[in-house]
Amino acid sequence: MNAILEVKGLTKNYKDFQAVKGIDLEVEEGEIFGFLGPNGAGKSTTINMLSTIIKPSTGYAKVNGFDNVKEKNKVRASIGLIFQESTLDEKLTANENLMLHCKFYGIEKSIREERIVEVLEIVDLVDKRKNIVETFSGGMKRRLEIARGLLHYPRVLFLDEPTVGLDPQTRAHIWEYILKLKEKAGITIFLTTHYMDEAEICDRVAVMDHGKLIALNTPEALKAKVGGDIIEITAEDLPKAKEIIESSYNLEVQKKDDKLSFQVEKGSEFLVQLVREMDIAITSVNLRRPTLNDVFLHLTGREIREESVSKKDMMRKSMRGPH
Amino acid sequence: MEGILAVWQRDVIKFFRNRAQLIGSFAMPFMFLILFGSGMSGAMSSMLGGGGESGALAEFDFVQFMFPGIIGMTVFNTAIFSALSVVQDKEFGYMREILVSPMSRVSVAIGKVLGGSTVAVFQGLMMLIFVPFIGVSITISMVLQLIPIMFLVAFALSSIGLLIATALKTAQGFQMVIQVLIFPMLFLSGALFPLNGLPTWMDILVKINPLTYSVDMFKKIILEPEKMDPALRQAMGLDIEVFNHVITFTDEIIAVSILSIVFVVLATIRFNKAEA
Ligand SMILES: Nc1ncnc2c1ncn2[C@@H]1O[C@H](COP(=O)(O)OP(=O)(O)OP(=O)(O)O)[C@@H](O)[C@H]1O
Ligand SMILES: [Mg+2]
């Protein structure tokens, strides 16, 4: 067992409000670990505590064997950090931003040049090196931030919502780079997101809600917990249909917009039976495997805001490789 | 050490890259020197020389008198406003990049103060562009004396700026606080009018104002009071007395140095405590 990140009983209080309510977890070296939760769940607060930006109220965290409070500077040298909001200096060029970072982190003069080219290659920005960051697109800025976060060869890279506000194509690209990093550098990646499809790429996912971890496992295991298949139907008389399904099959049915959704063990067999037995006209059916959104729904009765770009899209993009 | 240099370098690069600010920085001094100064000049000379008093006082040239004060004003403003970058860095997020690095906070604070001081010295030197138009004679040796003194004064004011910046979250708030602070200090420093015949309350304020001694150092370098007729020196308010002791250049250097040290220490302590 080789935990690069160790967290015990971590809490954060803001006056009379507890943003993080006691978190325990361990992340292994080389893992991509995802923090999934809706707005205000406490993801950023947690990541800020792990990366020494804010002090925990109680509990402790250790990164790379160093204590986050007592050995701040050693932790800081071991991590790379990409914040939810941009922290580039937009009035400077990409190269100047990277060069300053080298100096802040005490990277030796003789290897700076080499490192800068290396990280710019990873994110495909070598030819933009001398440009002022102000002229970059949102996606390019994000990529530059990732490059900068890698300059000092961190053991753990923290990414707070790395793709928020980016278009689907750019998001797919960013993911390409993240996966490439894991492959190449064996770096541990800790990220937060509220995109389901992104969480699915992670090796393990912690689901966070109201400052607490309500589940922690591989995406597959989490989905297995929901069990079986998800069926969604639309019908002519929805409330009546809901009542019938609930009473005759003893199922828990959720009404969402103009459709009903519920989960069953064997989806296709059940559907056949349902269509045959139901005396209300069913207008459409949809059978699918559970997603992490269903996991969240299952655990909390609410949905996380679901966003575009399916996992499949992303995989397809990343297989095409850099262009 | 490398970190201090990097923080310093960033502010200096950005100063020279910001053309609009560079050009805009001439606006205030220009207005004071040429519009206000020339206007006052006529009025002053008719008042002073008009009474048939020939000789020494007839030489009182208000624009020339004001010139060291304008350099002072430029240095003060640039130095104290340099800390605006700290507030902006907080607002735009770059401060986090700095604060999560393993570099010590003390280095960051010192780098910021040095950056602000350097920029203020450049800005102050740029005011020498006005020299040919106002008829003061500036020698190389004066410039060589001016540079370290400007730096010292700028260091004190950058530290004061940083101390204020650590307490504030928005650029707007910072600008307000600085305006409210710097204007009275400037008016009570002798930068814009001679310090003589003041009412007692004002005289007290002038003498506890550190800018008074800062401006006076610039005057001592540029106006060369030791070569002046005592009556003219008196009229220009160049003999500052505190408890019957005529303040010397050395006194002033010591006073401003102490001020610099106190404020840079305070600012560094405050900055060290701030969360990212
Ligand atoms: N400085 C602060 N003072 C008071 N409350 C705060 C502070 N920072 C965060 N909070 C509160 O803590 C809670 C968690 O915030 P946090 O930013 O960690 O959420 P998040 O999971 O990152 O959400 P998002 O997806 O919107 O980024 C929120 O309710 C927020 O209002
Ligand atoms: Mg957040």
Side-chain angles (χ1 to χ4, degrees):
Chain A
M1 178 91 196
N2 200 356
I4 188 115
L5 182 66
E6 230 187 294
V7 181
K8 265 247 146 50
L10 205 64
T11 69
K12 181 70 194 179
N13 301 318
Y14 288 117
K15 297 210 181 85
D16 51 354
F17 173 71
Q18 194 166 37
V20 176
K21 299 174 179 147
I23 284 183
D24 301 286
L25 58 88
E26 282 188 1
V27 176
E28 275 170 57
E29 187 144 24
E31 245 188 313
I32 298 187
F33 191 92
F35 240 47
L36 176 72
N39 288 127
K43 305 183 296 291
S44 295
T45 308
T46 307
I47 220 169
N48 287 346
M49 287 193 280
L50 298 185
S51 53
T52 76
I53 293 166
I54 57 176
K55 230 175 119 181
S57 301
T58 63
Y60 75 87
K62 274 185 175 175
V63 179
N64 200 14
F66 302 119
D67 187 284
N68 278 43
V69 177
K70 293 184 204 115
E71 298 165 292
K72 252 188 209 158
N73 284 349
K74 285 187 178 153
V75 172
R76 287 174 179 172
S78 331
I79 63 174
L81 201 48
I82 287 115
F83 294 97
Q84 190 165 354
E85 301 90 16
S86 164
T87 65
L88 294 165
D89 189 330
E90 306 215 341
K91 301 281 180 205
L92 299 178
T93 64
N95 188 60
E96 284 164 340
N97 269 287
L98 297 176
M99 204 44 109
L100 284 172
H101 189 91
C102 287
K103 292 177 182 171
F104 295 160
Y105 283 77
I107 295 172
E108 259 177 71
K109 210 172 191 154
S110 57
I111 56 172
R112 282 178 200 162
E113 178 65 26
E114 185 189 319
R115 285 277 180 96
I116 288 177
V117 174
E118 182 188 339
V119 297
L120 284 176
E121 268 169 3
I122 295 178
V123 299
D124 283 329
L125 283 175
V126 180
D127 52 330
K128 297 280 190 272
R129 187 171 167 180
K130 299 271 188 261
N131 296 21
I132 302 271
V133 175
E134 222 168 13
T135 65
F136 283 21
S137 70
M140 282 158 68
K141 286 180 194 161
R142 215 63 188 145
R143 274 147 60 194
L144 181 60
E145 284 205 277
I146 293 178
R148 189 180 64 179
L150 294 172
L151 266 180
H152 56 285
Y153 285 176
R155 303 286 301 279
V156 185
L157 188 66
F158 288 97
L159 300 138
D160 196 359
E161 314 248 1
T163 62
V164 77
L166 301 178
D167 64 75
Q169 216 180 354
T170 314
R171 285 178 58 202
H173 267 134
I174 300 276
W175 269 99
E176 220 170 81
Y177 301 125
I178 294 177
L179 294 174
K180 201 154 75 176
L181 265 181
K182 185 195 161 172
E183 262 334 61
K184 264 176 97 170
I187 201 170
T188 308
I189 294 167
F190 187 108
L191 61 95
T192 73
T193 181
H194 54 245
Y195 296 119
M196 298 300 157
D197 44 8
E198 294 188 351
E200 306 233 3
I201 301 175
C202 299
D203 296 318
R204 282 194 303 153
V205 174
V207 183
M208 188 167 203
D209 193 30
H210 295 309
K212 277 195 283 239
L213 293 192
I214 50 176
L216 196 172
N217 218 324
T218 60
E220 292 70 36
L222 287 175
K223 284 183 285 187
K225 234 197 249 169
V226 176
D229 299 319
I230 308 283
I231 295 177
E232 289 164 337
I233 63 166
T234 56
E236 258 158 22
D237 187 350
L238 270 191
K240 184 115 184 273
K242 180 168 189 272
E243 223 179 273
I244 293 175
I245 299 170
E246 273 174 344
S247 57
S248 19
Y249 305 102
N250 197 21
L251 288 169
E252 202 177 302
V253 181
Q254 247 123 10
K255 184 170 173 298
K256 191 172 86 182
D257 305 326
D258 56 351
K259 63 185 178 205
L260 301 177
S261 98
F262 48 92
Q263 76 204 42
V264 293
E265 229 18 82
K266 295 199 168 105
S268 36
E269 284 165 36
F270 180 84
L271 257 186
V272 176
Q273 186 189 359
L274 181 70
V275 173
R276 200 185 306 130
E277 292 173 3
M278 190 85 145
D279 40 14
I280 294 172
I282 294 176
T283 45
S284 79
V285 298
N286 180 24
L287 171 68
R288 61 178 176 83
R289 302 285 306 154
T291 65
L292 283 177
N293 196 33
D294 300 309
V295 174
F296 192 79
L297 189 68
H298 179 75
L299 290 167
T300 66
R302 292 179 291 122
E303 283 195 59
I304 298 189
R305 181 158 67 91
E306 177 68 297
E307 228 83 10
S308 53
V309 183
S310 70
K311 187 183 177 190
K312 230 190 264 164
D313 274 346
M314 230 173 254
M315 287 309 179
R316 218 170 37 228
K317 271 249 71 138
S318 70
M319 272 188 300
R320 238 191 284 147
H323 43 129
Chain B
M1 194 58 218
E2 178 101 57
I4 297 182
L5 226 58
V7 174
W8 170 84
Q9 186 192 20
R10 171 168 172 259
D11 281 355
V12 175
I13 293 178
K14 289 180 76 170
F15 170 72
F16 284 109
R17 197 161 288 172
N18 195 341
R19 294 274 150 72
Q21 192 198 331
L22 272 182
I23 295 166
S25 67
F26 285 102
M28 274 278 269
F30 176 82
M31 281 198 298
F32 270 104
L33 267 183
I34 308 304
L35 304 183
F36 180 73
S38 304
M40 281 296 278
S41 198
M44 294 281 280
S45 62
S46 68
M47 279 190 292
L48 289 170
E53 258 177 295
S54 57
L57 290 190
E59 283 175 33
F60 195 131
D61 181 320
F62 191 72
V63 175
Q64 287 183 16
F65 161 81
M66 252 180 78
F67 187 57
I70 295 302
I71 292 188
M73 180 178 95
T74 308
V75 172
F76 305 151
N77 271 328
T78 314
I80 203 163
F81 268 112
S82 72
L84 180 63
S85 75
V86 174
V87 188
Q88 282 173 336
D89 285 348
K90 273 196 252 181
E91 273 187 308
F92 295 117
Y94 196 79
M95 190 50 80
R96 295 182 138 197
E97 155 75 359
I98 294 179
L99 293 184
V100 296
S101 75
M103 168 171 60
S104 83
R105 298 257 173 124
V106 176
S107 305
V108 181
I110 302 285
K112 275 288 178 192
V113 171
L114 288 178
S117 313
T118 308
V119 165
V121 170
F122 275 114
Q123 193 91 64
L125 285 176
M126 277 169 21
M127 294 306 126
L128 296 180
I129 286 178
F130 290 111
V131 165
F133 307 105
I134 57 178
V136 279
S137 63
I138 299 269
T139 62
I140 297 289
S141 108
M142 283 181 192
V143 175
L144 293 182
Q145 284 178 71
L146 271 177
I147 292 174
I149 297 301
M150 282 189 207
F151 194 85
L152 177 64
V153 169
F155 192 90
L157 280 132
S158 299
S159 307
I160 296 174
L162 180 62
L163 183 64
I164 296 169
T166 53
L168 296 170
K169 284 220 165 68
T170 65
Q172 234 185 348
F174 178 82
Q175 270 161 323
M176 275 236 316
V177 171
I178 297 294
Q179 300 283 14
V180 168
L181 194 74
I182 197 96
F183 266 106
M185 283 177 83
L186 205 59
F187 280 117
L188 294 170
S189 71
L192 306 175
F193 49 79
L195 297 174
N196 47 30
L198 301 178
T200 313
W201 64 267
M202 199 164 170
D203 193 53
I204 293 171
L205 289 179
V206 164
K207 287 188 177 150
I208 56 174
N209 180 4
L211 296 197
T212 304
Y213 307 101
S214 309
V215 170
D216 195 55
M217 284 193 281
F218 295 133
K219 289 181 184 164
K220 283 191 164 115
I221 295 172
I222 295 172
L223 300 176
E224 301 183 297
E226 67 283 357
K227 292 181 190 164
M228 279 181 185
D229 187 287
L232 178 60
R233 204 158 71 207
Q234 169 67 29
M236 286 195 174
L238 295 178
D239 295 316
I240 304 178
E241 276 185 40
V242 176
F243 300 125
N244 294 324
H245 166 71
V246 178
I247 300 290
T248 66
F249 196 70
T250 316
D251 294 337
E252 288 169 340
I253 292 184
I254 293 170
V256 178
S257 302
I258 292 173
L259 188 81
S260 296
I261 293 168
V262 169
F263 276 102
V264 80
V265 169
L266 287 179
T268 308
I269 292 172
R270 278 296 308 252
F271 190 75
N272 208 7
K273 283 194 188 140
E275 283 201 336

